């Protein structure tokens, strides 16, 4: 089965993520775009595909929750939506 474009996280996907606490309550929402390493610019929400969080998010679908490392901190991130990248 092939999933339609923008239903699965891929390189260049723009994501709306929720950072969850231990009780699944949203601590913060953020935009996150996975890009090739040479295009990364975290100041504008573009993160390298080699980053631990990017690796954990690749192949995920909206509603999935991943446990990963983001900014040197263990976090739980939920994929809220996926949009077309630049």
């Amino acid at each position: 089965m092939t999933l339609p474009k923008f239903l699965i996280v891929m390189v260049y996907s723009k994501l709306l993520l929720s950072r969850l606490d231990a009780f699944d309550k949203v601590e913060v929402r953020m935009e996150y775009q996975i890009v090739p390493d040479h295009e990364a610019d975290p100041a504008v929400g573009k993160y390298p595909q080699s980053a631990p969080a990017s690796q954990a998010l690749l192949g995920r679908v909206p509603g999935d929750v991943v446990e990963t490392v983001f900014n040197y901190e263990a976090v739980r991130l939920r994929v809220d939506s996926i949009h077309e990248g630049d």
Side-chain angles (χ1 to χ4, degrees):
M1 178 173 112
T2 302
L3 292 173
K5 197 173 184 183
F6 308 124
L7 290 183
I8 187 168
V9 177
M10 301 179 292
V11 175
Y12 289 112
S13 294
K14 277 190 174 179
L15 313 174
L16 178 60
L17 303 175
S18 291
R19 182 175 167 169
L20 305 175
D21 67 12
F23 304 102
D24 287 338
K25 293 195 178 195
V26 176
E27 293 180 331
V28 67
R29 285 213 160 121
M30 61 185 196
E31 291 186 357
Y32 189 106
Q33 184 175 18
I34 300 172
V35 298
D37 292 2
H38 68 278
E39 294 180 26
D41 185 356
V44 295
K46 293 182 176 188
Y47 297 91
Q49 68 186 49
S50 64
S54 296
Q55 289 294 304
L57 291 163
L58 287 169
R60 301 300 181 151
V61 297
D64 282 354
V65 176
V66 299
E67 294 184 11
T68 188
V69 175
F70 181 71
N71 289 339
Y72 306 102
E73 184 179 350
V75 295
R76 294 178 67 236
L77 301 173
R78 182 181 64 214
V79 178
D80 292 328
S81 62
I82 304 170
H83 303 281
E84 183 176 356
D86 304 335

